[in-house]
Amino acid sequence: MATSHEYGMRGNAQIGYAVGAAGSRRVGDFNPSNQGLKMKKILVAIFLSAVPFLCHAAEPSQESIEKLLTVTQTQKLVEQMIPQMEDMMKSVADKEIDAQKLPPEKSAKAKTLSASITKKMTAILREQLSWDNLKKIYIPIYRDSFTQEEVDGLIAFYSSPAGNALIAKMPVVMQKSMAAMQQLIVPMMQEMQKATAQAVEEMKKQAEAK
């Protein structure tokens, strides 16, 4: 299939040929009917060269985007994600406290304080990631990213059994993914803390050496 550029080149060639043919006749050969025919050819050539630039993909309507967000149950997935994030933050914080091997009383106080902070952070997440806020973000992004044909195709897929299965199982996939990430995050944060402590110690030694 020819590209828009190739069509444009062909159109320009057609224009050039038509204009050249029109200009190659001597003045004495002037014939009104022939000139009219030549003018039609030039206009057709101009139209054909412009077609590729006029045939832009249709922008998806807001109604179709909202339907896509509905069939993909995006709001439900977001609302399910926040409690999972809260559980992950609490689990990571508790493991960090346990890794410090504090006395039982201090460990309990630290976990209570950590839980309070996590609840405040979750409240902020719920407020900032409310569906009203996210919908305002999603719609223009979808409009800029997809054509109407693509949105219609996605709606058809997510309305199919395979699409429904993907939607139904995605929360479980996300939950397992977050659980697996915890196994990476905790040791990573411990290593980062060690690196930070070492850097602070080196800075102290350099300051004392001066």
Side-chain angles (χ1 to χ4, degrees):
M1 182 178 292
T3 63
S4 296
H5 176 70
E6 290 170 341
Y7 279 121
M9 293 294 290
R10 292 177 188 175
N12 291 337
Q14 289 171 332
I15 294 171
Y17 175 78
V19 172
S24 65
R25 298 286 185 177
R26 295 193 302 273
V27 175
D29 295 334
F30 176 77
N31 185 313
S33 62
N34 288 341
Q35 288 300 109
L37 181 60
K38 291 168 190 172
M39 185 57 67
K40 288 179 181 178
K41 289 181 179 180
I42 292 172
L43 292 174
V44 169
I46 292 173
F47 174 76
L48 290 175
S49 67
V51 167
F53 303 99
L54 296 174
C55 295
H56 291 298
E59 185 180 87
S61 66
Q62 179 162 332
E63 182 182 2
S64 65
I65 294 173
E66 290 182 355
K67 184 175 181 180
L68 176 58
L69 293 174
T70 299
V71 298
T72 54
Q73 300 182 27
T74 305
Q75 180 178 358
K76 181 179 178 181
L77 291 173
V78 170
E79 291 173 350
Q80 289 176 338
M81 180 180 67
I82 293 176
Q84 293 174 4
M85 293 175 66
E86 181 179 11
D87 290 343
M88 186 180 75
M89 288 188 293
K90 184 178 183 303
S91 177
V92 169
D94 287 348
K95 287 180 180 179
E96 278 192 58
I97 293 170
D98 291 339
Q100 296 177 22
K101 300 185 184 301
L102 300 172
E105 185 177 347
K106 288 187 176 181
S107 178
K109 288 182 179 180
K111 288 183 178 181
T112 300
L113 177 60
S114 175
S116 175
I117 294 171
T118 298
K119 283 192 175 297
K120 290 179 181 178
M121 292 176 67
T122 303
I124 294 171
L125 282 173
R126 288 185 185 279
E127 180 181 356
Q128 296 300 319
L129 299 180
S130 68
W131 181 240
D132 287 339
N133 288 342
L134 291 178
K135 191 176 178 181
K136 294 175 184 176
I137 296 172
Y138 283 143
I139 289 177
I141 291 175
Y142 276 52
R143 184 184 298 119
D144 293 340
S145 303
F146 299 103
T147 65
Q148 184 65 62
E149 183 179 0
E150 290 168 341
V151 169
D152 291 341
L154 289 169
I155 291 172
F157 168 72
Y158 283 109
S159 300
S160 70
N164 288 331
L166 179 61
I167 294 168
K169 295 178 181 180
M170 188 53 66
V172 178
V173 171
M174 291 297 296
Q175 188 174 14
K176 290 182 177 180
S177 298
M178 287 187 177
M181 285 177 63
Q182 289 180 26
Q183 304 302 318
L184 298 176
I185 291 173
V186 173
M188 179 184 69
M189 293 186 71
Q190 291 173 352
E191 290 297 321
M192 291 175 67
Q193 288 174 348
K194 288 180 182 178
T196 301
Q198 290 175 356
V200 171
E201 192 64 28
E202 287 293 328
M203 291 173 66
K204 285 182 180 179
K205 289 181 180 178
Q206 290 177 7
E208 291 172 356
K210 291 181 180 180

